[in-house]
Amino acid sequence: MSLGAGVLATALAVAAAYNIALVVVTIRFRRRTRRLETCARPHARDRDPTSAAPGVSILVPLDGAEPTLFANLAAYCQLRHEGAVQVVVGSLVAGDPAIATARRVASRYSTVDFQIVVGAATLGPNRKASLLAALAAHARHAVIVAVDSDVRVGPDYLSAVLPALSCRDVGLVSCVYRAPRPTTLAHVFEALCIETDFCPSVILASALGRQDIALGATIAIRSQTLDRVGGFAALVEHLADDHRLGELVRAIGERAVLAAYVVESDPNPASLAGAVRHQVRWARTIRACAPWGYFGSILTHGMTLALCGLLLDLPPPYGVARLAIAVIALRLAAAALGARALGARLGWTLALVPLRDVVATAIWAASFASNRIEWRGRCYRIGADGHLSADPPLTRHRSDTCDATVGYQASFDIRSEKTTAAAVDHFR
């Protein structure tokens, strides 16, 4: 076997081990979620009796009208929780259409402690962190839960997430998430990225003892812990504000853990090109935060490595080819079990995992091409350790997009099988 074949065989062996680990941890995670337990359920001796039913302030930053925003906000008004619940929502822009939706929710649930904050100050390039800092200033309870506006939760949300915070060394609790049932090709791509790749890898990291995991889908944190790390204002210079908060919590000697509860998050990409841009942004973010780990993550791209192995080992079908076939089978099993653990509804679209994985490898490579990103219509540069800075206006294209070239966006409705195409700007 040549040196190249030996390197590829080693990479495939690592990919196989990675997918076996995913299979094991996602099966265990599904068992825990079915019992409505948290990953870090504290022992009785570790519990703080004063936090049995703490008051909770739920912060929801708004930026534009999400398609399901009314239902998402209404869900926080229907939570089953013995303690007090306060809902604080707001936007940096007074004319944000999301504010009108929030007012309708407040009117519908007039008995709920529902507060709306408008026109907060921008403290840095991360507008979401700036807004969370403003919303937190209105929080009145000992526990703060920050949730993205595209997240939907169930009535038992707090009862599943909060118990972990009663463990004295736990400072932050997060949740993994799934996408709604996909209806377009763009939705399918995002759902496959979330449910067969990203969230299963987060579950694996948690199972391996990672103690700084924080995801924007849920950030449950004691107000005292938030104050100790400098509040949300300490995150305004970072793109991955959730990741940075997890790092700060770990730095003060407390753990950030993952609850065995799955929320629903709708990325709602307008087009396939938009979905790809979203993944490019996150790829560049992860690369900036953990460059060596991100570079090494190519070894987890088992499907692409396996397809390369099959192409380079023809015929006879043995050696690297056998290992490649095993990796493909393991990858498909890990994808299916990961989606099942999250309660995903992917159906036949799981057959598109090989194509999604190849595209993901291309995105991995493209992430090294630039430090520019587009985030909610604004252009930024990512510096060392994920620091964020606004892209100078003079370097922007006339279309006000980053790294713009003319391409095509496709919106494909699976149910009606109708396809439309339009010229759009997208990342190089």
Side-chain angles (χ1 to χ4, degrees), residues 154-179:
D156 58 342
Y157 172 62
L158 293 180
S159 62
V161 171
L162 295 185
L165 277 180
S166 62
C167 185
R168 290 187 177 88
D169 67 338
V170 172
L172 185 152
V173 183
S174 279
C175 292
V176 288
Y177 52 95
R178 61 175 174 263

Side-chain angles (χ1 to χ4, degrees), residues 126-418:
N126 188 320
R127 293 166 58 85
K128 174 188 167 186
S130 294
L131 180 52
L132 282 172
L135 299 182
H138 296 269
R140 293 193 293 270
H141 298 299
V143 173
I144 291 176
V145 178
V147 191
D148 290 340
S149 60
D150 61 1
V151 167
R152 180 83 61 85
V153 304
D156 58 342
Y157 172 62
L158 293 180
S159 62
V161 171
L162 295 185
L165 277 180
S166 62
C167 185
R168 290 187 177 88
D169 67 338
V170 172
L172 185 152
V173 183
S174 279
C175 292
V176 288
Y177 52 95
R178 61 175 174 263
R181 187 186 298 276
T183 57
T184 68
L185 189 57
H187 290 155
V188 168
F189 180 73
E190 286 277 14
L192 289 174
C193 290
I194 292 168
E195 294 157 4
T196 71
D197 184 13
F198 176 70
C199 283
S201 72
V202 172
I203 294 170
L204 176 59
S206 176
L208 292 176
R210 186 79 181 261
Q211 297 183 352
D212 61 352
I213 295 174
L215 303 175
T218 288
I219 298 286
I221 187 170
R222 284 185 289 267
S223 58
Q224 290 180 344
T225 299
L226 186 61
D227 290 341
R228 288 182 64 194
V229 300
F232 292 112
L235 315 176
V236 297
E237 301 295 333
H238 293 261
L239 174 58
D241 46 88
D242 47 4
H243 170 76
R244 180 57 179 165
L245 185 57
E247 288 183 326
L248 293 175
V249 167
R250 189 65 191 136
I252 64 171
E254 298 183 2
R255 293 187 295 136
V257 301
L258 196 65
Y261 186 84
V262 183
V263 300
E264 189 167 280
S265 176
D266 186 1
N268 193 41
S271 66
L272 184 58
V276 172
R277 281 199 301 271
H278 179 233
Q279 294 300 317
V280 170
R281 172 166 69 84
W282 272 111
R284 290 177 176 171
T285 302
I286 297 169
R287 176 177 62 82
C289 294
W292 289 108
Y294 181 75
F295 182 79
S297 69
I298 188 62
L299 296 177
T300 67
H301 291 230
M303 183 66 70
T304 304
L305 294 172
L307 293 175
C308 290
L310 292 176
L311 290 174
L312 296 175
D313 201 29
L314 298 172
Y318 59 84
V320 170
R322 284 184 177 179
L323 187 54
I325 292 170
V327 168
I328 290 173
L330 286 169
R331 168 58 184 146
L332 293 175
L337 290 170
R340 184 168 181 262
L342 296 167
R345 293 157 289 180
L346 291 174
W348 68 265
T349 62
L350 277 170
L352 299 177
V353 165
L355 178 59
R356 195 240 51 122
D357 285 2
V358 171
V359 173
T361 303
I363 289 173
W364 177 87
S367 70
F368 293 94
S370 173
N371 287 329
R372 289 181 179 179
I373 63 157
E374 181 183 358
W375 188 18
R376 289 190 176 269
R378 296 177 176 83
C379 295
Y380 300 91
R381 288 183 182 273
I382 312 174
D385 299 324
H387 277 79
L388 190 65
S389 60
D391 202 19
L394 291 178
T395 68
R396 296 183 187 176
H397 294 274
R398 226 181 282 179
S399 61
D400 200 33
T401 60
C402 305
D403 298 333
T405 58
V406 174
Y408 291 91
Q409 87 177 28
S411 176
F412 179 67
D413 190 320
I414 295 172
R415 292 170 297 186
S416 63
E417 298 185 355
K418 294 179 180 178

